[in-house]
């Protein structure tokens, strides 16, 4: 009976039912292509539906290729700007030290 009387409530851990899922886009595309091929062979899909599916797939692929190209070109442009910036800083440092180096040589020659 004393076990039921509590003055301090102790929080317990909460349990969650989370099942992690793995999504493989390539596998999904392959499965969709196989399903379309099987449906076309069985005659379940009309020519109009098959044509629409092919056009839809081509458009999706072309858009994904364009996005990939844009991302790669943006990354290469950023890399190029960083390299140019570093080269400019190196040249600025070298030419700045050349002036002080040449003035030191002139001062040594005059002494």
């Amino acid at each position: 009976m004393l076990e039921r009387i509590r003055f301090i409530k102790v929080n317990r851990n909460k349990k969650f039912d989370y099942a992690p899922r793995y999504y493989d886009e390539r596998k999904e595309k392959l499965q969709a292509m196989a399903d379309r091929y099987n449906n076309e062979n069985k005659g379940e899909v009309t020519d109009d539906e098959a044509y629409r599916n092919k056009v839809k797939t081509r458009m999706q692929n072309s858009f994904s290729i364009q996005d990939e190209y844009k991302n790669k070109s943006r990354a290469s442009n950023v890399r190029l700007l960083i390299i140019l910036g570093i080269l400019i800083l190196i040249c600025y440092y070298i030419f700045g030290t050349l002036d002080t180096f040449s003035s030191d040589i002139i001062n040594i020659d005059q002494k």
Side-chain angles (χ1 to χ4, degrees):
M1 178 154 169
L2 291 176
E3 293 174 357
R4 293 186 182 203
I5 302 173
R6 294 185 185 172
F7 295 106
I8 300 174
K9 182 180 178 183
V10 178
N11 292 332
R12 294 186 181 170
N13 293 336
K14 294 180 181 179
K15 294 182 181 179
F16 297 100
D17 293 327
Y18 172 71
R21 297 180 185 171
Y22 178 73
Y23 175 71
D24 189 6
E25 184 177 353
R26 183 173 180 264
K27 185 177 178 182
E28 294 250 341
K29 285 182 181 179
L30 287 173
Q31 186 64 35
M33 287 171 52
D35 290 342
R36 271 188 256 123
Y37 179 74
N38 290 335
N39 289 340
E40 286 176 7
N41 285 343
K42 291 179 184 176
E44 294 176 4
V45 178
T46 62
D47 290 335
D48 190 35
E49 288 178 32
Y51 179 74
R52 285 182 186 168
N53 287 335
K54 286 179 184 178
V55 170
K56 181 179 177 182
T57 304
R58 285 184 199 153
M59 288 181 67
Q60 288 174 346
N61 289 340
S62 68
F63 287 137
S64 65
I65 290 171
Q66 287 175 356
D67 289 341
E68 240 177 79
Y69 177 74
K70 284 180 185 178
N71 291 339
K72 286 181 181 179
S73 65
R74 184 176 297 130
S76 67
N77 288 341
V78 168
R79 191 177 313 119
L80 179 67
L81 288 175
I82 290 172
I83 291 171
L84 284 175
I86 290 171
L87 288 175
I88 289 172
L89 289 174
I90 289 171
C91 289
Y92 179 75
Y93 176 75
I94 289 173
F95 288 125
T97 56
L98 281 178
D99 290 338
T100 57
F101 181 71
S102 62
S103 65
D104 289 342
I105 291 176
I106 291 172
N107 289 340
I108 290 173
D109 290 340
Q110 290 177 357
K111 290 181 183 180

